[in-house]
Amino acid sequence: MINKTLGEIAALIAGEVDEKFQDVKISGVSKDTRTIEKGNLYIPLRGENMDGHQYVIQAFSAGATAALWENSVENPPKNVPLLFVDDALEALQDLAKEYLARLSAVVIGITGSNGKTTTKDLIATLLGQTFTIHKTSGNYNNHIGLPLTVLSAPKDCEALILEMGMSAKGEISFLSKLARPHIAVITNVGESHMKDLGSREGIADAKCEIVDGLQEDGVLFYNGDEPLLQERLTMISRRQSFGSEATNDYFPEHVKIEAEGTSFSVSEHELFLPVLGEHNVLNAVAAIAVANEFNMSWEEIATGLKQVKLTNMRSELLQGKKDEIILNDAYNASPTSMRAAIKLTQSLRNFNRKIVVLGDMLELGSNEEAFHEEIGNMLDPQEIDFVFTVGKLGKFIADAALNKFPQDRVFHFDNSEELAKQLKDISAANDLILFKASRGMKLETIIETLQQ
């Protein structure tokens, strides 16, 4: 993490500090007094409903050795190490850019509608066998989280793996120009943020912004199954595609899904991933492409894939109190990821029954009802025993499912509590239960009920 004196930081970001505090040393930065660590530089960010300047004294009490203070904010505290700046957020971003410029790490930027975090975890696991790596933690993938991730990277970091999220046009471009990646990855183009960007074409344009900051000799890996990416990236000289089709530079063969994970091969090399789903195989293929760029051997790649552990609530297998098998893929959802999760569930065998618990997919714009009806229509009564839905939009999934399912196998609820109660009554040992919805639906509360 960043370790400098307050005077050195002032020189990097054009701030001002009292001469008597020039030599105060900081170690790392924090924007949150609840998680601040001793020696941190506190960043008082301002939002619609809060102002971090109100917590500066609390930050010092919690262990901060210095804090930023915006010039326009009145009554700065006396006799504490403050670094005065025009804008705390811009200062944070400028500091991250300066710190990154002094690291020797290869920067890997990852974006896409689905699979960003999984691909990040896969790349980190593969490269982590040989290199000192640092990666985005949690959802720190925006204009605040990314610079915080950069500033927490160790000085000896060799590979810095940065997830880049977005909700509007221009956001990925900003992050890319800040991070200046040597390697960029676009996992896919889905329907997330359709409400803000209007169309899949608009989403593709936004994802392709990751090349805006790509180093001149940098390489782009992109999903070649997506025509919208193919036609937008022809100006990138070093680019390679991955996908399910054999026309890509990297593609999987002989995919076989089993209870313990998924086996497949790439370039005639047999591989195993302890994660379920063909969609996760494509994420693994993207990670393999990056690993090859680092000249990792196929033996190292195979060993690394076997060790993969994904961030919670992404194709996570859990056990219920009655020995139900829970497939927790409830971190977030879009039509693309929902279809993939259902396809996976319908393909699995050797279970007592299969149950899907599905909720609202958010931020889909004017076509949200049609997207949910599409999900209900793809559910196969020969493969799925019970359908449980929750939420205003989840009702459209249930109504569409009733076109093929008898009424006693489809249940809709307005709230998770009632759903959890009936699901707990119905579930039994060796039932496979899929949970999938947007993060705001908080389906993990139902899972907790099954485990109690």
Side-chain angles (χ1 to χ4, degrees), residues 72-312:
S72 62
V73 179
E74 298 179 348
N75 302 317
K78 305 295 184 181
N79 299 317
V80 291
L82 296 179
L83 175 53
F84 291 88
V85 296
D86 289 334
D87 185 288
L89 176 56
E90 289 183 7
L92 170 67
Q93 294 163 346
D94 289 344
L95 184 58
K97 189 180 295 186
E98 293 292 338
Y99 180 64
L100 185 55
R102 289 160 176 77
L103 292 180
S104 59
V106 175
V107 179
I108 304 162
I110 306 166
T111 194
S113 295
N114 309 108
K116 293 185 296 295
T117 301
T118 298
T119 303
K120 173 199 69 181
D121 290 340
L122 287 159
I123 292 172
T125 302
L126 294 184
L127 299 186
Q129 298 176 96
T130 306
F131 303 95
T132 301
I133 63 105
H134 187 69
K135 66 175 182 175
T136 299
S137 176
N139 60 350
Y140 270 37
N141 62 6
N142 63 6
H143 63 296
I144 297 173
L146 186 142
L148 288 171
T149 299
V150 169
L151 290 167
S152 64
K155 287 186 177 181
D156 63 348
C157 178
E158 295 173 294
L160 179 56
I161 308 159
L162 299 174
E163 184 179 329
M164 299 183 182
M166 51 140 285
S167 59
K169 186 177 180 181
E171 293 179 357
I172 295 295
S173 179
F174 175 84
L175 297 176
S176 181
K177 290 175 181 177
L178 192 158
R180 297 296 316 280
H182 303 85
I183 297 172
V185 180
I186 305 177
T187 59
N188 54 28
V189 175
E191 300 85 3
S192 299
H193 308 301
M194 189 80 80
K195 182 177 180 180
D196 299 299
L197 296 169
S199 65
R200 290 189 76 250
E201 288 78 8
I203 294 169
D205 288 336
K207 300 305 178 186
C208 289
E209 290 174 5
I210 197 170
V211 305
D212 290 354
L214 186 64
Q215 300 271 352
E216 287 186 10
D217 59 346
V219 59
L220 169 70
F221 296 103
Y222 68 98
N223 191 318
D225 294 340
E226 176 54 72
L228 292 176
L229 293 179
Q230 288 275 19
E231 63 192 36
R232 283 165 169 77
L233 298 169
T234 56
M235 70 293 195
I236 304 300
S237 57
R238 290 195 65 206
R239 65 184 188 277
Q240 290 188 301
S241 63
F242 62 89
S244 58
E245 302 296 330
T247 53
N248 291 291
D249 297 300
Y250 291 88
F251 59 92
E253 295 181 289
H254 314 303
V255 178
K256 183 178 180 182
I257 300 173
E258 302 169 343
E260 298 80 14
T262 309
S263 60
F264 61 102
S265 64
V266 175
S267 300
E268 300 184 354
H269 296 277
E270 294 184 0
L271 305 164
F272 179 79
L273 183 68
V275 179
L276 298 177
E278 291 185 29
H279 57 297
N280 285 317
V281 169
L282 291 187
N283 295 329
V285 173
I288 290 167
V290 173
N292 274 343
E293 187 69 14
F294 278 77
N295 296 315
M296 293 188 68
S297 69
W298 283 101
E299 182 179 356
E300 290 172 322
I301 289 171
T303 300
L305 288 178
K306 291 177 182 178
Q307 299 171 356
V308 164
K309 291 184 180 180
L310 300 185
T311 301
N312 289 345

Side-chain angles (χ1 to χ4, degrees), residues 38-58:
K38 186 176 181 180
N40 279 176
L41 171 68
Y42 175 63
I43 314 294
L45 299 178
R46 292 200 277 180
E48 292 183 5
N49 301 313
M50 57 81 67
D51 186 346
H53 291 82
Q54 299 174 356
Y55 304 100
V56 165
I57 295 300
Q58 185 177 333

Side-chain angles (χ1 to χ4, degrees), residues 366-435:
S366 59
N367 293 321
E368 61 183 9
E369 295 179 6
F371 281 124
H372 286 79
E373 290 172 352
E374 177 191 342
I375 295 302
N377 287 326
M378 77 170 288
L379 294 169
D380 184 351
Q382 301 300 316
E383 296 293 345
I384 302 296
D385 294 281
F386 293 103
V387 178
F388 283 71
T389 65
V390 63
K392 177 182 176 182
L393 295 171
K395 181 70 162 56
F396 293 98
I397 299 177
D399 289 346
L402 284 170
N403 293 328
K404 293 186 288 186
F405 285 77
Q407 288 189 347
D408 61 353
R409 289 170 57 188
V410 179
F411 306 94
H412 176 74
F413 300 86
D414 294 325
N415 62 76
S416 297
E417 291 78 8
E418 291 299 317
L419 189 157
K421 182 178 179 181
Q422 184 155 346
L423 179 60
K424 194 168 185 178
D425 289 341
I426 287 179
S427 66
N430 203 40
D431 282 350
L432 175 65
I433 310 175
L434 166 69
F435 287 83

